[in-house]
Amino acid sequence: MLEKRVISKSLIPENKSFVIKSINERHFDPTFHAHPEFQLSFVVKGEGNRIVGSSLQPFQANDMVFIGPNLPHVWKNHLSYFEKDSILDTSVIVIYFHKNFLGDNIYEKEEFNKLNKLFDKSNLGIEIQGDTRTRIGEMMRDLLEKTELESIILLLQILETLVTSNDILVINEIDEAIIYKKVETERIHKVYDYVIKNFAKPIKLEE
């Protein structure tokens, strides 16, 4: 088993229970990376290929994915987004939180059994579809405007919606919750980047 290390960003300030942000850029961060926080991402605008663990799939607006801690991922826009004179742009709403954002021992309680199962599934990556995606998208937009206790309550409502939904699809078939060493993650990023840029032609293993 690979050593459990992570390429990490400082995502949540010490004075916050979680972070939600709306990011509007020409293109998404193209770096294949991982971090110790849970991540719920809702693509408002943008197209390309999404890599979560060992899965590579196309994405477009309304793509919604829930990712567990230390699961490598990237949303890589099409090459047209990186052209000098491109007028394309992207928008995404993202929530980051740690499992213990409510406390260290609370998940041992019976009331959190189903939520724990959802967290376990997120280690494989979860794609959210259908009416659930629509409802959670609306709640995430609303959450951007909430503060203090109201924001915690709404985040719990989002998690409750996920727990009770039948509109979720596990992305990876095997457990990809392995934290890659930095050199391994960078090597995999180069492979995926090459495949995405050259997918239209035959690619030999030697390449």
Side-chain angles (χ1 to χ4, degrees), residues 107-207:
Y107 295 99
E108 298 175 5
K109 308 300 182 182
E110 181 178 341
E111 293 85 351
F112 289 88
N113 286 345
K114 290 184 179 179
L115 185 56
N116 278 322
K117 292 179 180 178
L118 175 70
F119 286 165
D120 288 342
K121 282 186 179 180
S122 74
N123 289 327
L124 302 174
I126 296 173
E127 180 180 347
I128 302 147
Q129 304 174 334
D131 291 339
T132 301
R133 178 176 60 196
T134 301
R135 292 170 57 198
I136 291 179
E138 292 172 354
M139 286 191 281
M140 291 177 75
R141 288 187 175 97
D142 193 20
L143 185 55
L144 287 167
E145 308 299 325
K146 300 295 184 183
T147 59
E148 300 183 348
L149 190 57
E150 279 189 331
S151 67
I152 297 293
I153 293 171
L154 187 49
L155 176 57
L156 289 174
Q157 289 175 343
I158 289 172
L159 293 175
E160 166 68 10
T161 303
L162 285 175
V163 164
T164 58
S165 174
N166 293 319
D167 294 327
I168 62 175
L169 177 67
V170 174
I171 295 174
N172 290 281
E173 295 183 359
I174 59 174
D175 191 350
E176 292 293 339
I178 297 173
I179 309 168
Y180 295 94
K181 295 179 182 178
K182 182 175 181 179
V183 64
E184 292 163 342
T185 308
E186 289 175 347
R187 184 182 301 118
I188 293 170
H189 170 70
K190 290 178 181 178
V191 171
Y192 278 134
D193 191 53
Y194 184 86
V195 170
I196 289 171
K197 290 179 179 178
N198 297 276
F199 71 93
K201 70 175 186 179
I203 301 174
K204 296 181 180 180
L205 181 59
E206 290 79 7
E207 294 181 66

Side-chain angles (χ1 to χ4, degrees), residues 40-159:
L40 177 61
S41 293
F42 175 42
V43 175
V44 178
K45 186 178 183 182
E47 295 182 350
N49 292 286
R50 165 180 25 96
I51 303 167
V52 176
S54 63
S55 168
L56 191 159
Q57 298 175 318
F59 78 86
Q60 57 186 358
N62 293 318
D63 184 68
M64 184 178 290
V65 171
F66 184 43
I67 296 174
N70 309 317
L71 181 59
H73 57 276
V74 65
W75 275 251
K76 182 91 174 204
N77 291 109
H78 293 313
L79 295 178
S80 53
Y81 284 78
F82 297 88
E83 293 176 356
K84 183 178 179 180
D85 298 325
S86 174
I87 60 172
L88 298 170
D89 60 351
T90 64
S91 179
V92 62
I93 302 174
V94 188
I95 299 174
Y96 301 103
F97 64 94
H98 291 288
K99 184 174 182 179
N100 65 351
F101 81 103
L102 291 175
D104 290 329
N105 301 316
I106 193 168
Y107 295 99
E108 298 175 5
K109 308 300 182 182
E110 181 178 341
E111 293 85 351
F112 289 88
N113 286 345
K114 290 184 179 179
L115 185 56
N116 278 322
K117 292 179 180 178
L118 175 70
F119 286 165
D120 288 342
K121 282 186 179 180
S122 74
N123 289 327
L124 302 174
I126 296 173
E127 180 180 347
I128 302 147
Q129 304 174 334
D131 291 339
T132 301
R133 178 176 60 196
T134 301
R135 292 170 57 198
I136 291 179
E138 292 172 354
M139 286 191 281
M140 291 177 75
R141 288 187 175 97
D142 193 20
L143 185 55
L144 287 167
E145 308 299 325
K146 300 295 184 183
T147 59
E148 300 183 348
L149 190 57
E150 279 189 331
S151 67
I152 297 293
I153 293 171
L154 187 49
L155 176 57
L156 289 174
Q157 289 175 343
I158 289 172
L159 293 175

